[in-house]
Amino acid sequence: MTTPAERALRGPRIPEAVHRRRWAILGVLMLSLLIVVLDNSILNVAIKTISTPAPTGLGATQGELEWAINAYTLVFAGLLFTAGLLGDRLGRKKILLGGLAVFGIGSALAAESGSPVQLIVFRALMGFGAAFVMPATLAVLMNVFERDEQPKAIGIWAGGVGLAIAIGPITGGVLLAHFWWGSVFLINVPIVLLALALMIWLVPDSRDPNPGRLDPIGVVLSVVGLVLLVYGIIKGGQLADFTDPVVLATIAAGVAVLVGFVLFEKRSDHPSIDVTYFKNKVFSAAMSAVALVFFALMGVTFFSVFYTQSVRGYSPLQTGLLMLPLAAAQLVFAPRARLVVDRFGNKVTCTAGLLVIAAMLAAFATLEADTPIWILEVIFFLMGAGMAHIATPTSVVIMQALPREKAGSASALSNTFRQVGGALGIAVLGSVLSAAYRGGIEDKLSQVPAGLRHTAGESIEATLGVAARLGPQGKALVTPANDAFLHAMHVTALCGAGVALIGAVVVALYLPGKASAPQQGKGEQELVAAAE
């Protein structure tokens, strides 16, 4: 830790008044982060309820549920760079306050949604607000902590993600046990009001003295490309046919637009994404690891909720409690991951983390309807521990690769990859789940009226919903639906494990190993000098 004498000798990079209250400021930033992450973790336990027909839920299909989640993440990811640049230009505190206000308004509107389409629209509005919150929290953090304290602060910040993941499902379960499904969004409003009050009081403003220009064309290209790509993947899962002309055309169009986006950014003199950053293999490997961790997390939480609630019969609150080990492991290990990095280096720490995640995803392929529940708890705990040892070190590598003045851009880039990884995790693994489920249940739907067969084959909830409408005749569908879902979950989990293994190979090849103390200091100086 930097002493006052050392800070005085080095020069007042951070005002003393700000330095004294830096930990209180970190607490406020974590509260802001909490609601952004809390919202998705709450929604995870509510998706089964929202898929239930009115008046209990909205009767959302699996595709609509995926869009309710991805409308948030895609808007979030698409606007992060613009939000980061606006924070650099206008002031991070102003952007934080505005983003929180929009997020709170979107939450209140989402709570009153009357249809899945309305829910998707208001979730997109929430994503718009969240895009201005997430990068600003890390940017402010980098401007209130000295460089030697940044890894510790980032570790605590990352641990806040674990706290949100812990609080979210349990809070969602309690709310769903006593109130209607919209309460999982309405709970955000009082937290937003508290965060706004504390932020006005405590958080200092900061900005980049040489901010970049906005890039509206790049923003439009990135959002359009991602939406087309994700739409094609989800549509392929719904149809259980990725060779369908509409699916192929949409995915191809999305890839083409994203390629155009990269080419445009390379030639632009004010790009949203400076693609030259990715020439640094260490930086690229760290970004890949971040994306793959969230790919796994969002995909697993999406299908595990249906496993615990639809197959095992647990309530939303019980599901939230079952996910507690995943969150607890992140909360415990994320702040301490820097100690593991100090001893073993980034390469060993992150590679081991991804291998653990791959192994736990593969373990999901062993779960059956009567598997002892403690096995699921162990899987969740080890998965959380693996994630903690990737998220913290990669965040430090990414944030310290750029000068302090560009903290907003570095944070936006990191969070873009998080959100895109999460959106693709839901889209890809959700579509694999949907396609595998339809393949397993289709030949068991002969007694279902022809007009309902396509709907009944879309997801386990759709099958069980149709079974309930058929009365005693529909009871024969319950066991085949459970069997088809378990098979689909096994296939999906193995696909996720394969992706995590690819990530482990990339990290093992390109992240730096452990360096001796003097070399490490020299390397850090060179990295800072090169970035500046």
Side-chain angles (χ1 to χ4, degrees):
M1 185 179 293
T2 309
T3 65
E6 289 171 335
R7 294 183 71 243
L9 188 63
R10 253 184 6 197
R13 294 198 66 180
I14 297 173
E16 188 61 39
V18 172
H19 184 75
R20 281 199 306 269
R21 65 176 192 268
R22 64 196 184 282
W23 298 109
I25 293 169
L26 178 60
V28 178
L29 296 177
M30 287 178 63
L31 183 62
S32 305
L33 173 71
L34 183 74
I35 60 168
V36 173
V37 181
L38 182 77
D39 178 71
N40 267 338
S41 59
I42 280 183
L43 183 59
N44 284 332
V45 298
I47 54 179
K48 181 181 181 296
T49 304
I50 294 172
S51 69
T52 306
T56 303
L58 293 176
T61 66
Q62 183 161 311
E64 287 168 337
L65 289 173
E66 291 178 40
W67 275 113
I69 298 171
N70 281 338
Y72 178 92
T73 54
L74 290 174
V75 172
F76 191 174
L79 292 176
L80 275 169
F81 279 103
T82 297
L85 286 170
L86 283 173
D88 291 343
R89 179 182 292 271
L90 303 177
R92 282 96 184 215
K93 181 176 181 175
K94 298 182 185 71
I95 290 298
L96 261 173
L97 292 171
L100 279 172
V102 172
F103 184 88
I105 292 168
S107 298
L109 292 171
E112 298 299 328
S113 299
S115 69
V117 173
Q118 287 184 10
L119 178 62
I120 291 167
V121 171
F122 295 138
R123 285 277 298 162
L125 180 61
M126 292 170 67
F128 183 92
F132 289 84
V133 174
M134 197 77 159
T137 59
L138 259 183
V140 171
L141 182 154
M142 299 299 284
N143 279 274
V144 299
F145 283 91
E146 293 289 357
R147 189 174 183 83
D148 57 351
E149 282 189 323
Q150 287 172 4
K152 181 179 179 181
I154 290 174
I156 295 171
W157 179 90
V161 175
L163 180 64
I165 294 173
I167 294 174
I170 297 170
T171 304
V174 171
L175 291 170
L176 291 172
H178 296 92
F179 305 101
W180 93 115
W181 64 266
S183 61
V184 301
F185 298 110
L186 201 60
I187 191 66
N188 292 333
V189 176
I191 303 175
V192 165
L193 293 174
L194 176 62
L196 286 171
L198 291 173
M199 197 169 293
I200 291 170
W201 176 35
L202 283 172
V203 175
D205 206 356
S206 63
R207 65 183 71 195
D208 185 348
N210 300 298
R213 290 162 56 196
L214 300 183
D215 179 25
I217 295 176
V219 170
V220 171
L221 287 174
S222 64
V223 173
V224 170
L226 285 170
V227 169
L228 286 171
L229 177 62
V230 170
Y231 176 83
I233 293 170
I234 292 175
K235 189 68 175 176
Q238 287 175 334
L239 299 175
D241 182 9
F242 286 91
T243 63
D244 181 86
V246 174
V247 172
L248 289 175
T250 309
I251 291 175
V255 171
V257 173
L258 290 174
V259 169
F261 165 71
V262 172
L263 294 175
F264 178 82
E265 296 299 284
K266 285 179 70 175
R267 296 176 182 176
S268 174
D269 59 357
H270 57 286
S272 291
I273 299 177
D274 188 341
V275 293
T276 60
Y277 296 155
F278 292 93
K279 292 180 180 178
N280 182 328
K281 292 178 181 179
V282 172
F283 185 81
S284 296
M287 296 300 291
S288 300
V290 165
L292 290 170
V293 165
F294 276 78
F295 182 100
L297 173 66
M298 297 301 288
V300 166
T301 51
F302 186 80
F303 69 67
S304 65
V305 167
F306 288 102
Y307 170 70
T308 54
Q309 294 187 39
S310 299
V311 176
R312 302 298 297 258
Y314 289 104
S315 69
L317 176 56
Q318 289 170 325
T319 297
L321 291 170
L322 287 173
M323 295 178 72
L324 191 57
L326 175 70
Q330 288 192 70
L331 189 61
V332 170
F333 291 113
R336 295 168 175 80
R338 63 190 175 87
L339 303 176
V340 181
V341 172
D342 289 344
R343 181 163 184 177
F344 298 106
N346 283 306
K347 182 194 293 284
V348 171
T349 304
C350 292
T351 302
L354 277 162
L355 287 175
V356 168
I357 288 175
M360 292 308 101
L361 281 165
F364 265 98
T366 68
L367 298 180
E368 300 292 345
D370 58 352
T371 300
I373 204 64
W374 66 263
I375 294 177
L376 178 65
E377 299 299 89
V378 172
I379 291 172
F380 276 149
F381 182 82
L382 292 176
M383 181 169 281
M387 290 179 60
H389 288 90
I390 300 166
T392 300
T394 52
S395 293
V396 173
V397 168
I398 292 163
M399 292 304 294
Q400 292 192 343
L402 298 180
R404 187 190 299 258
E405 293 76 18
K406 301 296 181 184
S409 298
S411 175
L413 193 58
S414 174
N415 282 296
T416 296
F417 271 66
R418 278 196 180 99
Q419 296 303 319
V420 170
L424 289 176
I426 293 166
V428 173
L429 296 183
S431 295
V432 170
L433 183 75
S434 182
Y437 179 79
R438 185 179 289 280
I441 196 67
E442 219 157 22
D443 61 348
K444 308 293 193 303
L445 300 177
S446 56
Q447 71 267 42
V448 176
L452 293 176
R453 283 177 195 167
H454 183 81
T455 300
E458 192 170 79
S459 67
I460 185 172
E461 278 306 303
T463 305
L464 296 178
V466 169
R469 289 166 62 182
L470 294 175
Q473 181 187 355
K475 289 183 179 179
L477 288 175
V478 175
T479 299
N482 286 343
D483 292 342
F485 177 83
L486 287 170
H487 168 71
M489 184 180 77
H490 296 164
V491 172
T492 305
L494 290 175
C495 290
V499 171
L501 282 175
I502 293 171
V505 172
V506 171
V507 166
L509 288 175
Y510 297 116
L511 276 193
K514 184 185 178 185
S516 62
Q519 290 173 327
Q520 203 167 22
K522 181 182 177 183
E524 182 178 285
Q525 291 167 8
E526 290 172 351
L527 181 62
V528 176
E532 292 178 344

